[in-house]
Amino acid sequence: MRRFEFPVDVAHAKSVNETFTELRRLRMSAALTAVVLLALGVWFFWIATPWSYILGAVFCIGAATSLWVMVWAPKKMGSVESLYARGDLVPAVVAETLPSGATLLSLVDVAKPGVDEPHYVLITRVVRALPGHAVERGAEVPAVSVLADRGRNTGGRTWQLVSAMPIAWGTTDAAVLARAAAEITEGEWALLHANIGLSEKVRKAKNQQLLVDPADLPEDLTRPTEEPG
């Protein structure tokens, strides 16, 4: 397991880190859904018929579930410092430039702790900003992996939800970005550059993940030995 420690600039992260922007969107959507479902539930209760009471209860349960998601999501994610602390350092490159940002292609081991063999996949992520990096095809972007399952007590040998969060979203220090890039091996960077044209195929793959043939992996990639925490 390869950790990368650096002082996170929280103010900078809050302004540019799109992981937390997505979380805010999720919470707003959950809140709006809760309001709509609660209003429908109250309306059905107001009708005051046997069938409307049943529907009213269903809509109120849905509203409660949406409120739970709004509260639970940030607790599950944790602080920006904890996300950077528990994620593995991973390579990413700009695979496509877009009118409003870029598509990153990243190499991530999605095998869970306790699994003997690594499970490296290519993933993509569309980003709007990459402070400290040139937004041009092939630009190297050190990042950390963000791994999770869709729910509690989920089995399986690999994580279901996988993303890459650029180090540049957590600091403006160019020296930190250079140190992170240097700690990623040349073999990893070379693998991404060799597969940069696969970004569209990755987006269309199941779970937006494309398994890398173990024979194509650089020899210096090793299995993490401890669970993110």
Side-chain angles (χ1 to χ4, degrees):
M1 181 171 294
R2 181 175 54 192
R3 303 295 196 201
F4 181 75
E5 297 183 359
F6 69 99
V8 177
D9 184 335
V10 176
H12 170 71
K14 287 182 177 180
S15 65
V16 303
N17 195 315
E18 294 171 23
T19 298
F20 286 85
T21 302
E22 293 163 2
L23 174 62
R24 286 194 292 270
R25 290 198 189 104
L26 173 63
R27 296 189 71 194
M28 290 177 62
S29 176
L32 179 60
T33 300
V35 170
V36 172
L37 292 177
L38 182 61
L40 287 171
V42 170
W43 182 69
F44 278 114
F45 276 119
W46 179 78
I47 294 176
T49 63
W51 65 267
S52 69
Y53 284 130
I54 295 173
L55 288 177
V58 170
F59 280 111
C60 286
I61 291 172
T65 301
S66 294
L67 289 174
W68 179 82
V69 169
M70 187 179 68
V71 174
W72 167 81
K75 291 183 178 179
K76 180 177 175 65
M77 179 176 290
S79 67
V80 63
E81 296 99 326
S82 67
L83 278 179
Y84 278 115
R86 68 177 183 252
D88 291 341
L89 179 64
V90 298
V93 298
V94 175
E96 304 171 60
T97 58
L98 307 171
S100 59
T103 299
L104 295 182
L105 179 71
S106 185
L107 176 68
V108 179
D109 180 10
V110 297
K112 290 185 175 180
V115 177
D116 294 333
E117 297 296 326
H119 194 93
Y120 281 96
V121 298
L122 296 174
I123 65 168
T124 58
R125 177 170 189 167
V126 175
V127 299
R128 291 188 298 277
L130 284 171
H133 295 288
V135 184
E136 58 186 26
R137 195 170 190 264
E140 297 178 351
V141 182
V144 298
S145 60
V146 180
L147 308 171
D149 280 329
R150 291 188 175 88
R152 294 183 177 181
N153 302 320
T154 303
R157 295 167 57 87
T158 60
W159 297 102
Q160 296 174 335
L161 303 176
V162 187
S163 186
M165 187 168 67
I167 300 290
W169 287 353
T171 182
T172 58
D173 190 337
V176 170
L177 300 181
R179 178 166 60 89
E183 291 190 16
I184 296 169
T185 68
E186 289 298 326
E188 292 171 86
W189 290 123
L191 186 149
L192 282 181
H193 285 294
N195 290 281
I196 200 169
L198 294 178
S199 61
E200 182 177 357
K201 184 176 181 180
V202 173
R203 290 199 306 272
K204 295 179 179 179
K206 182 180 180 180
N207 289 336
Q208 291 77 54
Q209 301 175 20
L210 188 64
L211 179 65
V212 178
D213 188 332
D216 294 334
L217 293 170
E219 294 181 358
D220 46 20
L221 287 181
T222 58
R223 175 71 180 98
T225 58
E226 62 184 75
E227 184 175 0

